[in-house]
Amino acid sequence: GALVGKVGPGAAQDAGIRRGDVVLMFDGVDVRDAGHLRELIDQAGDKRSVAVLVRRGDSPLFLALRLKD
């Protein structure tokens, strides 16, 4: 997974992603690390939104990440 170190204004913050979350899955694909997550975001193309699985503390949580309006 990819540990979230900082969340600024934008799609991640709007989805509820927080500092300290670990992104485990992006659009159905297991996230290996931060670089891999960036690749997956770039590959999302024209998708309007994707499901993101994060671990917050000991709990898994699915969030909807809106990429485009």
Side-chain angles (χ1 to χ4, degrees):
L3 176 64
V4 178
K6 179 170 89 170
V7 181
Q13 185 179 57
D14 292 346
I17 295 174
R18 299 179 188 166
R19 181 176 178 253
D21 286 349
V22 178
V23 180
L24 302 174
M25 188 178 287
F26 181 89
D27 198 23
V29 178
D30 290 336
V31 175
R32 294 187 306 264
D33 56 34
H36 184 226
L37 178 58
R38 282 189 287 275
E39 289 175 21
L40 293 172
I41 293 168
D42 290 343
Q43 293 170 6
D46 291 335
K47 292 186 179 187
R48 293 179 59 120
S49 63
V50 297
V52 179
L53 175 64
V54 300
R55 184 177 66 232
R56 182 171 293 158
D58 292 332
S59 301
L61 176 67
F62 272 103
L63 301 170
L65 181 66
R66 175 172 270 159
L67 300 174
K68 298 184 186 217
D69 290 327

